[in-house]
Amino acid sequence: MTTGTSMRTGTWTVLADRTEAAFTVSNFGFREVRGTIPVTLGSVRVDEDGVSGVEAALDLDRIDTGIAKRDLDLRKPGLLSIEAHPVLTFAAGRVEGGHGKWSVEGTLGARGTSCPLTLTASGPEDNGDGTWRVHARGVFDRQAIGVRAPRFMIGRMITIALDAVLTPPG
């Protein structure tokens, strides 16, 4: 998000009530499980050279796949260990690209561990109300954050997609 985007320098803040994080993962090798995780905090730092950092926190305690039993299972220590680690984090200090397409290289934190995650982002789009919208998507291997389950039950690769609305600095 370089100066050509017309985004003001400073820290842009995610509007949690207008931002959604969704995920998909295969189940039993052929079904796709979808779910959402509320975004509680997020920011995008913009300086005179463009975006210099991105941070986000998601509330795993409110994960929702639409099936209460599955959501309870995800809380278990062998899966997301939500009681011990209720927050999923993302932090990036490297953002490259232009013309509405961006590569955001960062670190995904979960279960007391972390793994690299690269997001492909598009935007920002001016919402016309002083806010901006950014879409981002990435794929990571659940084993990299210690989620252990037979592959036929839960696929290894998880796709996460973010639809974020940002408010300008001060």
Side-chain angles (χ1 to χ4, degrees), residues 3 14 33 64 66 73 83 86 88 103 105 122 126-127 133 161 169:
T3 52
V14 168
V33 172
D64 182 8
D73 286 345
E83 297 303 320
L88 179 78
S103 176
E105 294 181 26
S122 63
D126 186 341
N127 287 330
R133 171 168 264 119

Side-chain angles (χ1 to χ4, degrees), residues 106-131:
T107 302
L108 179 72
R111 298 178 38 84
T113 188
S114 62
C115 70
L117 176 62
T118 299
L119 300 175
T120 301
S122 63
E125 303 162 8
D126 186 341
N127 287 330
D129 62 358
T131 65

Side-chain angles (χ1 to χ4, degrees), residues 23 25 37 60 63 74 76-82 85 87-90 106-117 139-149 154-160:
F23 65 90
V25 63
I37 307 169
L60 288 174
I63 194 167
L74 288 173
K76 294 178 180 176
L79 295 177
L80 291 175
S81 191
I82 293 173
H85 306 284
V87 179
L88 179 78
T89 61
F90 179 74
T107 302
L108 179 72
R111 298 178 38 84
T113 188
S114 62
C115 70
L117 176 62
V139 178
F140 67 96
D141 184 337
R142 66 171 167 80
Q143 291 183 334
I145 57 168
V147 175
R148 304 285 182 241
I154 301 173
R156 280 188 58 183
M157 305 311 287
I158 298 173
T159 300
I160 190 160

Side-chain angles (χ1 to χ4, degrees), residues 4-130:
T5 63
S6 300
M7 286 184 74
R8 287 200 314 246
T9 59
T11 301
W12 288 69
T13 305
V14 168
L15 290 176
D17 62 333
R18 293 176 60 188
T19 297
E20 178 177 275
F23 65 90
T24 57
V25 63
S26 66
N27 178 242
F28 293 108
F30 62 91
R31 286 192 313 207
E32 191 171 80
V33 172
R34 297 177 181 276
T36 59
I37 307 169
V39 176
T40 55
L41 300 169
S43 64
V44 176
R45 291 183 313 280
V46 179
D47 61 25
E48 56 278 345
D49 295 323
V51 174
S52 60
V54 176
E55 294 180 349
L58 287 72
D59 184 1
L60 288 174
D61 201 40
R62 294 178 31 220
I63 194 167
D64 182 8
T65 63
I67 298 175
K69 167 100 171 74
R70 179 184 295 138
D71 296 346
L72 285 173
D73 286 345
L74 288 173
R75 303 181 75 77
K76 294 178 180 176
L79 295 177
L80 291 175
S81 191
I82 293 173
E83 297 303 320
H85 306 284
V87 179
L88 179 78
T89 61
F90 179 74
R94 183 176 172 147
V95 180
E96 296 180 348
H99 306 295
K101 296 289 182 193
W102 310 96
S103 176
V104 183
E105 294 181 26
T107 302
L108 179 72
R111 298 178 38 84
T113 188
S114 62
C115 70
L117 176 62
T118 299
L119 300 175
T120 301
S122 63
E125 303 162 8
D126 186 341
N127 287 330
D129 62 358

